[in-house]
Amino acid sequence: MVDNQESITAKLCSFARAFHSNYGTDKVFDDYLAFDLMGKTQYEEMGKLIENDFDLSKQDERYWFCHKNIKQALYDYMLPIPLSRISFAQKELSAFAEKYTAGGKKIQYVICGAGMDSFAFRNTNENIQVFEIDHPDTQAYKKERIKELEWMLPRNLTFVPVDFNKDSLKEKLLENGFNPMLPTFTAILGVSYYLELNVFEQTLKIISDLTNKDSRIIFDFPDQTTLSKKASPRVRELADITARLGEPMVKGFSVWQIKRALGRHSLKIENHERPKDIQRNYFTGRNDNLRAYENVHFVQARKRGKRNKK
């Protein structure tokens, strides 16, 4: 099961989106609300963590970090995955919404482990009902940030607090107004790196069982080269960084394993972006050395068969 309590790596991904929006000159994706939602305090904490070579013991509140000192580490390790996968997610969601919201029809967008995701505040399509799933503590921080920023909560945004140690994802969604009969787009991003496949598959099963035949699921995953001798030095270094932060990566999955896992829950890959595709789609022609990770894949899967009976 996906555990949605916000992790340090999730905060680093938020930092990456905020940094790129503030300082990137050729933006892969402009998450222009990322810094505001994250807040200056967390932003500074993550910046200092990177400057201190991801060593949690070296945090010192008396000093500010220097952007110049972290740029290389950011471009090498932290920016490529968060920027390309949010761009992938927005592209796929836009196509889904265009297809299913014609004539004012409603769809649902479920964001697992939403963290400081800003989509609900960037979104202009009122026919997309957004459900943000996250740990209660993370949502409490986000709500406090929204209050401090004096932002109006969109009417089509629903927070779904889920503590997986005691809560049922299915029950929590249904309690908060989720409609199994509506076309649903679910994002499960940035979590498969730290879970064994059988654990990640539980979430795929819950979402598949709860959604109808028009629904889609997107996720990213590391392939089987991640912790192997074939892994590139950069992939090995990122794995070392996450391990030092207390969030060790798993060995990764083959495409065949992913297809089998999806098939067991009436899901089929509709769009698969491999590392070479990600490089071509998001990083071609750049002069800042941003490049796709050699082991990361993006997938959009769809339901197969008849509409579920609820």
Side-chain angles (χ1 to χ4, degrees):
M1 182 64 64
V2 175
D3 184 352
N4 295 115
Q5 187 161 9
E6 193 176 21
S7 65
I8 294 175
T9 53
K11 291 178 182 178
L12 285 169
C13 289
S14 295
F15 178 91
R17 295 194 302 271
F19 183 96
H20 188 62
S21 179
N22 288 342
Y23 297 101
T25 55
D26 182 12
K27 292 180 175 55
V28 178
F29 185 88
D30 186 8
D31 191 353
Y32 54 88
L33 298 178
F35 178 83
D36 289 336
L37 267 180
M38 187 177 196
K40 183 175 176 59
T41 299
Q42 274 198 3
Y43 183 84
E44 287 291 336
E45 287 176 358
M46 293 302 101
K48 285 186 285 187
L49 178 62
I50 299 169
E51 190 171 46
N52 291 323
D53 196 28
F54 304 94
D55 187 340
L56 289 167
S57 68
K58 293 181 179 179
Q59 290 283 20
D60 191 333
E61 296 181 358
R62 296 173 298 175
Y63 299 100
W64 304 102
F65 76 94
C66 177
H67 287 91
K68 291 189 299 183
N69 294 343
I70 68 171
K71 187 174 181 180
Q72 192 61 51
L74 273 173
Y75 276 70
D76 286 344
Y77 305 115
M78 305 313 303
L79 292 180
I81 298 174
L83 295 179
S84 54
R85 76 177 171 217
I86 191 175
S87 185
F88 173 76
Q90 296 292 276
K91 176 185 66 176
E92 296 295 326
L93 175 61
S94 295
F96 184 78
E98 183 177 357
K99 180 175 181 179
Y100 289 104
T101 62
K105 295 178 181 178
K106 302 289 185 180
I107 65 168
Q108 298 168 132
Y109 180 28
V110 176
I111 310 173
C112 295
M116 296 301 112
D117 190 286
S118 65
F119 172 80
F121 296 91
R122 292 183 282 104
N123 174 45
T124 58
N125 188 341
E126 295 183 354
N127 295 315
I128 301 176
Q129 178 64 48
V130 182
F131 293 87
E132 291 197 6
I133 299 170
D134 223 323
H135 191 276
D137 293 344
T138 301
Q139 287 195 343
Y141 176 82
K142 185 171 188 176
K143 288 179 179 179
E144 184 60 30
R145 284 295 307 146
I146 293 168
K147 183 178 179 181
E148 291 171 358
L149 292 165
E150 298 183 346
W151 289 359
M152 293 289 292
L153 282 175
R155 290 186 298 176
N156 54 339
L157 169 62
T158 300
F159 290 107
V160 184
V162 179
D163 182 345
F164 283 110
N165 290 321
K166 58 183 180 181
D167 297 329
S168 162
L169 173 58
K170 177 180 179 179
E171 290 177 1
K172 284 291 185 179
L173 274 169
L174 293 174
E175 287 173 6
N176 284 276
F178 180 87
N179 184 350
M181 303 308 293
L182 288 178
T184 301
F185 189 93
T186 302
I188 315 173
L189 301 174
V191 299
S192 66
Y193 302 82
Y194 314 103
L195 301 175
E196 295 296 336
L197 183 57
N198 65 317
V199 179
F200 182 64
E201 191 177 333
Q202 292 179 40
T203 302
L204 295 176
K205 179 183 186 304
I206 292 170
I207 297 299
S208 179
D209 288 347
L210 193 58
T211 55
N212 73 10
K213 68 179 181 62
D214 296 320
S215 298
R216 307 287 192 278
I217 297 177
I218 63 165
F219 59 92
D220 53 338
F221 73 93
D223 66 29
Q224 71 276 21
T225 68
T226 299
L227 300 182
S228 73
K229 293 180 179 179
K230 295 181 180 180
S232 70
R234 182 170 64 142
V235 170
R236 290 196 295 269
E237 178 61 22
L238 181 62
D240 182 64
I241 289 170
T242 64
R244 297 204 305 269
L245 296 174
E247 300 174 33
M249 290 186 178
V250 297
K251 61 184 178 181
F253 325 117
S254 69
V255 175
W256 178 81
Q257 287 177 303
I258 291 293
K259 288 182 177 179
R260 288 288 300 273
L262 290 168
R264 285 191 285 269
H265 307 293
S266 301
L267 295 164
K268 182 179 181 180
I269 293 177
E270 189 170 64
N271 186 14
H272 176 195
E273 293 194 358
R274 295 168 173 80
K276 64 179 182 180
D277 303 314
I278 297 170
Q279 176 64 34
R280 179 182 65 251
N281 293 340
Y282 310 106
F283 300 113
T284 297
R286 303 187 66 86
N287 57 13
D288 54 13
N289 204 36
L290 268 180
R291 64 193 192 282
Y293 263 88
E294 299 86 346
N295 67 321
V296 172
H297 299 240
F298 300 155
V299 163
Q300 187 245 96
R302 68 169 299 158
K303 286 290 295 288
R304 298 184 302 181
K306 296 180 180 179
R307 184 183 298 273
N308 289 351
K309 295 181 180 179
K310 299 296 174 185

